Amino acid sequence: MVLKYLLEKEVKQFLRNSLLPRIAIVFPLLVLLVMPWATSFEVENVNVVIVDNDNTALSGRLAHKIEGSRYFNLVGVVGSYGEAIGKIERQEADVLLEIPDNFERSLLTGRKIDYQVSANSVNGVRGNLGANYMNALVAGFAAEAIDEETGRVVPQPVEVIEQYLYNELLDYKKLMVPALMIIVIIIICGILPALNIVSEKETGTIGQINVTPVGKWTFILAKLLPYWVIGVVAISICFVVAWLVYGLVPRGSFLTIYAAAALFIIVMSSVGLIVSNHSSTMQQAMFVIFFIMVLFMLLSGLLTPVASMPDWAQYVVIFNPPHYIIDIMRSVYLKGGKFASNSFEFGMLGLFAVVMALWAMLSYRKQE
Amino acid sequence: MDAATDNVITARNLTKRFGTFTAVDAISFEVRRGEIFGFLGANGAGKTTAMRMLCGLSLPTSGEGRVAGFDITDEAEKVKRNIGYMSQKFSLYEDLKVWENIRLFAGIYRVPDREIPIVGGAMLKRIGLADVRDNFVRDLPLGWKQRLAFSVAILHRPKVVFLDEPTGGVDPMARRDFWELIYEAAGSGITVFVTTHYMDEAEYCDRVSIMVDGRIAALDTPFELKKRYCTQSMDEVFRTLVRGEGKKGGARL
């Protein structure tokens, strides 16, 4: 068993490295502890400035309601539109609400209220969501106020009750944590193998190996297996953090997730080894693997929904392995997806694993 | 081994081109079993390239070669089973211990698990490195590293061992010690194919070839070569050949 000796060597070299084993442990912890808070698309603390032309008890109550909302942060109530727009220009406020001078009267007499919401949409998501939240808040306030003040029930044209399935509270962390787990795997199992073989080229040790009768497959397997174990350890750390810190436990079975991760780790480590085989310096390898990792992360539905990409990008996604694992992860974590309901994704991952591992083996050349 | 002859290495018009540059230009020669064959030449003459082809590390552009009875183009992996190789640049694993390197390469060459401690232990004792078996290779002085690399290359009892400038950068004493090891290996039946820059080392070889600009300019025993060029030393033979051929082919370096 030549493989045994090669594995022994790889494991010793990895463990003796002063940095790598620590990275493999600390990196997943760091990503899972820090990133879910930072990668949220939820908009909170929108700074609001109010132009109150009405100056009545009701308009004051509206201001209080805004102040009390967790989405808004009242930065001032001013007398003129000009003053308010100044605050937006100085980046002190994101959203401007102008209350008309007939606000209270219109409300109590049941007439239409013409208030104005302006949003700074330099940051589009923040501006758009901020304005929508504001509209919802004002509408809700108006309905409540009329009920209380007049005792009348306001006729509500149609009431839409939104029911979100699977992630009922629309918690972005639930969406992001499974994606971040994949990012951890992409980075650890992408970079480490990508630098491995090429570093043996730089030190010259690969020459001593190439002149031996060692099989290509044996050699590549000895490189793949350790990264496979490292990947499984890293994603297990992710699972534990997701559970302890975010209370996130898959609704489906861990077995399904591990099976998918096991396949994806093979894909990713193989991609790393392929890059390493084709590079002649560490610099080259690093540059190429970064390029690939960016493609993997941005064109896979990891961070943005695939359905909203242009058609050509959606075709690219088909050839992007992380796309399939992230589908499985979200399905299992949020919906309780089973192996059967994700058999297509499993099939694709399996196909990628076989193709990439073969490519890694074939691209290792013992003879120039 | 070729049945008819007793040649361990045969090269026929072996050629390697990199683009328009011909590194090795149709060289032909034979190396007999048990011989110490010196492969001499100036820097850039094509020694390393020729050696890498014979080891199955580099594919010939044209021509053919047989090593230990196998074709270097079609049966490279079989060739590799029967040779040892020590490169110009020390290339054992510096982040592994002495013993771990021995174990690794013995394992790769399929020395049975139980025999590794016996064979490896005896080898370490022979080259005087038994005390440092648990030291990291990176901490050894260069002379020791070279002895270790050589011994690892012949641990599996190959038919031929290729040594590419094995004694570069060490003092004359260390070189002398190293050549003792080479003689020992040759005495036990291993054919030695060695490149070197040191002309005193050329004197230790059974036969030497001198490469100039990718071609073999001369090939014979050191004694015959000195006689042919009417000189006292291999050093002069070498200089005469390199200067003469250099003029013919135009300056290269």
Side-chain angles (χ1 to χ4, degrees), chain A residues 1-2 4-6 8-10 12-13 16 200 202-215 219 223 365-368, chain B residues 16 52 55-59 72 76-77 80-81 83 85 89 91-93 95-97 100 103-105 107-110 113 116 136:
Chain A
M1 274 297 276
V2 175
K4 179 181 85 177
Y5 298 99
L6 286 169
E8 230 177 76
K9 156 202 171 259
E10 294 296 333
K12 276 180 187 151
Q13 286 185 307
R16 275 181 197 155
E200 287 217 31
E202 286 197 347
T203 55
T205 50
I206 194 98
Q208 198 64 54
I209 293 287
N210 287 346
V211 81
T212 69
V214 69
F219 181 78
K223 294 283 182 195
R365 316 216 10 188
K366 293 180 71 182
Q367 202 172 16
E368 285 155 23
Chain B
K16 181 80 181 187
R52 288 174 57 84
C55 291
L57 284 175
S58 172
L59 278 169
I72 57 169
E77 293 303 299
K80 287 172 186 175
R81 239 171 264 165
I83 61 169
Y85 171 75
K89 184 170 180 289
S91 44
L92 294 183
Y93 289 93
D95 51 352
L96 292 183
K97 294 172 181 168
E100 290 166 350
R103 187 176 151 75
L104 170 65
F105 284 99
I108 290 177
Y109 282 109
R110 295 166 196 273
D113 212 16
I116 295 177
F136 281 104

Side-chain angles (χ1 to χ4, degrees), chain B residues 20-105:
Chain B
T20 56
F21 171 66
T22 307
V24 176
D25 192 0
I27 58 171
S28 301
F29 63 91
E30 285 97 31
V31 178
R32 294 179 210 120
R33 190 203 311 224
E35 197 173 26
I36 299 178
F37 188 85
F39 204 56
L40 276 52
N43 283 323
K47 293 176 312 235
T48 299
T49 310
M51 184 181 261
R52 288 174 57 84
M53 284 193 279
L54 293 174
C55 291
L57 284 175
S58 172
L59 278 169
T61 313
S62 65
E64 55 183 275
R66 291 182 79 77
V67 171
F70 298 104
D71 188 277
I72 57 169
T73 309
D74 303 329
E75 300 170 305
E77 293 303 299
K78 284 182 186 154
V79 167
K80 287 172 186 175
R81 239 171 264 165
N82 291 288
I83 61 169
Y85 171 75
M86 176 180 168
S87 75
Q88 198 169 350
K89 184 170 180 289
F90 179 76
S91 44
L92 294 183
Y93 289 93
E94 305 244 1
D95 51 352
L96 292 183
K97 294 172 181 168
V98 169
W99 181 253
E100 290 166 350
N101 269 292
I102 294 171
R103 187 176 151 75
L104 170 65
F105 284 99

Side-chain angles (χ1 to χ4, degrees), chain B residues 142-169:
Chain B
L142 184 58
W144 296 19
K145 283 182 181 173
Q146 288 172 343
R147 271 188 294 175
L148 179 66
F150 176 70
S151 307
V152 166
I154 59 167
L155 193 66
H156 58 291
R157 310 287 316 151
K159 296 198 172 93
V160 197
V161 64
F162 290 89
L163 310 173
D164 195 359
E165 289 176 26
T167 56

